[in-house]
Amino acid sequence: MVASILRALARIKADVALHLQAAVIERTCRELGHTWRDRILTPVVTVHAFLLQVLHGNTACDHVPHLMGGNFTGEAYCQARRRLPLELFQRLLAGVTGCLASCRDEAQRWCGHRVWLLDGSSCSMPDTPQLQEAFGQPGAQQPGCGFPVAHLLTLFHAGTGMLQKVLTAPLRTHDLAQAWQMHPELAPGDVLVADRGFCSFAHLAQLLASGFFGVFRLHQKTIVSFRKGRIHVPPRPRHKMWKGAKGLPRSRWVRWLGRRDQLVEYYKPTRPPKWITAEAYAALPETIVVRELRFVIRVPGMRTKEVTLVTTLLDPDRHPAAELAQLYFDRWQVEVNLRHLKQTLHLDVLRSKTVDGVHKELCMIALAYNLVRLVMVEAARRQEVQPDRISFIDALRWLTNARPGATLRKLRVHRVRRRAEPRVRKRRPKGYPLMKRPRAELRKALLG
């Protein structure tokens, strides 16, 4: 089955399938100093079995021998996975991601820019002491009554939906703490789009210093006024009239660009955020000029009615306010991408019980996701539609059931529509109470 999948991928993009061939996997293992015996579950068979497991919805390890048609047990497969070095999976993911660069470069651009979508998420995993120590669990749960949860930071390419990079951290990690680690993935002139969690003076200044552009939703506590020539609270005010001033913006008005569209100057806060070192913060400029704009959402069913953006794209002729509003409106696609990862490929609940195992699982899920995205991009090119209109599940089904010599058929295309659904649950959960004491205590009370 894996051989059929690799042949199907080779007909779409040969160099991608090449990174999953036996010779490449074995060569990478030797470069890493990994040795193995001649057995059924060689590194090649194990990696291919892992990929097949993820493509089938991250199914149980005991199901993998049936998928592979091999004479081994689920326990033996788990042990073989554990023996493989983590760097092997990281190199395979990096190789496949690098081969997809041409797809990203050829994709449709926004106003001549490549666009990247940045967002945070999380995933759960088995309750083991090692994972609890590494990631922690939600604070509202008592020890022994919850599962470890990892914080994830993901970077997607907007034109193709491909996952460029994913980072893990303990649960109580702010999104901005790792945002700077995504900057090396960008090139000068790229645009980074994210929600209000990534909007800060330091982050905007870092993007400007690197030649990148940012489009973020402004934090809800930031005071914004679009009055021409308005007054503002100066930085480090000395006069007593500014002490405790409320309702006034902290930014200096620079120029009016249009209705609810202006250039302002942001001042560097006195205290640096926790996620940046004192040396790096001191190197940032004292002020930066950014653009603030506000637009109204008139789509029936949308919860948000008004959005205020801040961006480093200052030219209103090259980047009109309407185009920026549409760009941020399309940011919702990152939520759809995360839904494919978490619900279709079952990233929401991982199976590994060690830290290395969790990272291996994340690498393989990211790799499988990008392979499906490659199929979607090729189908979109042939069917002359945008890649995000191709059904992810239909592309996944075609890839997992590809037959030798089969060509890519027409995949399902979603209709262009704006869904308006209430945020409620119809299916009732079981009526059992939540666990508030460790299982051993509850079992002892039940038997006592």
Side-chain angles (χ1 to χ4, degrees):
M1 185 179 290
V2 176
S4 300
I5 292 175
L6 295 182
R7 283 195 291 268
L9 290 171
R11 287 191 292 272
I12 297 175
K13 196 166 179 58
D15 51 350
V16 171
L18 182 63
H19 279 82
L20 298 173
Q21 296 291 345
V24 175
I25 296 174
E26 291 178 351
R27 184 178 70 245
T28 306
C29 287
R30 294 190 184 97
E31 291 174 356
L32 296 174
H34 177 69
T35 57
W36 64 94
R37 291 184 295 174
D38 188 14
R39 60 179 89 193
I40 296 177
L41 287 167
T42 63
V44 175
V45 175
T46 306
V47 169
H48 287 174
F50 204 168
L51 177 61
L52 205 60
Q53 178 185 15
V54 171
L55 288 173
H56 282 80
N58 205 13
T59 185
C61 292
D62 286 334
H63 186 208
V64 174
H66 301 285
L67 293 175
M68 293 290 292
N71 186 22
F72 57 89
T73 64
E75 183 179 0
Y77 164 67
C78 292
Q79 293 174 358
R81 262 176 49 173
R82 195 178 303 118
R83 286 192 295 267
L84 293 180
L86 172 60
E87 193 173 349
L88 168 64
F89 297 94
Q90 293 172 339
R91 288 196 183 186
L92 293 177
L93 176 59
V96 171
T97 304
C99 291
L100 298 175
S102 60
C103 297
R104 296 189 294 270
D105 293 338
E106 295 168 2
Q108 183 178 356
R109 301 193 174 200
W110 176 85
C111 295
H113 301 278
R114 291 194 311 174
V115 178
W116 301 89
L117 306 176
L118 184 64
D119 201 11
S121 188
S122 62
C123 64
S124 178
M125 57 199 70
D127 187 13
T128 66
Q130 185 183 19
L131 295 179
Q132 284 281 5
E133 182 180 358
F135 300 108
Q137 69 177 33
Q141 299 172 347
Q142 297 295 325
C145 301
F147 293 94
V149 178
H151 175 271
L152 302 178
L153 188 64
T154 56
L155 180 69
F156 293 92
H157 180 252
T160 61
M162 293 178 179
L163 178 59
Q164 180 69 13
K165 193 171 184 178
V166 57
L167 298 174
T168 60
L171 174 61
R172 293 173 183 83
T173 302
H174 196 278
D175 288 337
L176 270 174
Q178 294 178 298
W180 63 273
Q181 298 182 47
M182 295 297 191
H183 294 176
E185 306 298 325
L186 310 182
D190 287 357
V191 177
L192 185 66
V193 183
D195 59 19
R196 61 181 55 157
F198 297 90
C199 182
S200 73
F201 175 93
H203 194 202
L204 289 167
Q206 284 182 332
L207 292 174
L208 282 171
S210 302
F212 312 139
F213 299 103
V215 178
F216 307 124
R217 188 176 179 184
L218 204 59
H219 196 273
Q220 65 271 19
K221 291 185 178 180
T222 304
I223 300 174
V224 178
S225 173
F226 289 94
R227 290 184 59 186
K228 293 182 181 180
R230 56 168 173 74
I231 62 173
H232 65 282
V233 179
R236 304 171 186 86
R238 297 179 180 179
H239 198 279
K240 63 180 181 180
M241 66 173 289
W242 299 113
K243 301 295 184 180
K246 296 182 180 179
L248 293 177
R250 264 58 179 173
S251 60
R252 183 179 70 86
W253 185 85
V254 176
R255 185 156 62 94
W256 184 81
L257 301 178
R259 187 173 182 272
R260 295 183 174 182
D261 191 357
Q262 63 185 6
L263 293 183
V264 296
E265 186 178 39
Y266 281 5
Y267 297 103
K268 185 177 180 180
T270 305
R271 292 184 298 176
K274 296 180 180 179
W275 53 269
I276 189 172
T277 63
E279 295 77 11
Y281 191 70
L284 298 179
E286 292 299 319
T287 63
I288 57 173
V289 176
V290 297
R291 182 180 175 187
E292 293 178 342
L293 63 148
R294 180 176 293 163
F295 61 93
V296 178
I297 300 177
R298 294 187 174 88
V299 180
M302 295 289 291
R303 293 180 297 113
T304 304
K305 302 301 181 184
E306 193 175 69
V307 173
T308 304
L309 299 181
V310 59
T311 178
T312 55
L313 296 164
L314 308 182
D315 189 350
D317 296 324
R318 187 178 176 186
H319 309 103
E323 293 290 337
L324 286 167
Q326 185 61 48
L327 176 65
Y328 189 80
F329 190 75
D330 293 338
R331 188 206 69 86
W332 186 256
Q333 187 61 36
V334 73
E335 308 292 347
V336 179
N337 298 342
L338 287 170
R339 184 188 66 187
H340 292 324
L341 280 168
K342 299 180 73 171
Q343 295 187 12
T344 307
L345 298 180
H346 294 273
L347 173 67
D348 56 339
V349 180
L350 302 179
R351 297 182 176 276
S352 301
K353 298 182 179 181
T354 63
V355 175
D356 272 3
V358 165
H359 288 121
K360 292 175 187 177
E361 201 168 346
L362 285 171
C363 285
M364 288 305 296
I365 292 176
L367 191 150
Y369 171 86
N370 280 340
L371 295 182
V372 178
R373 278 291 177 181
L374 175 62
V375 175
M376 294 172 64
V377 169
E378 178 62 19
R381 186 187 65 82
R382 298 185 182 188
Q383 298 174 226
E384 299 181 348
V385 296
Q386 293 297 319
D388 57 0
R389 290 190 58 195
I390 298 293
S391 169
F392 184 90
I393 294 180
D394 201 25
L396 174 63
R397 288 169 179 164
W398 179 86
L399 185 60
T400 53
N401 295 287
R403 294 291 181 264
T407 57
L408 181 59
R409 62 172 177 81
K410 281 191 174 183
L411 300 181
R412 180 182 175 185
V413 177
H414 292 302
R415 293 179 297 169
V416 179
R417 58 179 179 175
R418 299 296 183 188
R419 302 178 65 179
E421 298 289 345
R423 284 197 164 187
V424 295
R425 292 187 302 172
K426 181 178 179 181
R427 194 175 301 279
R428 271 62 173 174
K430 301 293 183 181
Y432 296 106
L434 297 175
M435 180 185 288
K436 297 183 178 180
R437 288 190 295 166
R439 186 178 299 274
E441 294 183 13
L442 294 174
R443 188 184 293 113
K444 184 177 180 180
L446 186 66
L447 297 175

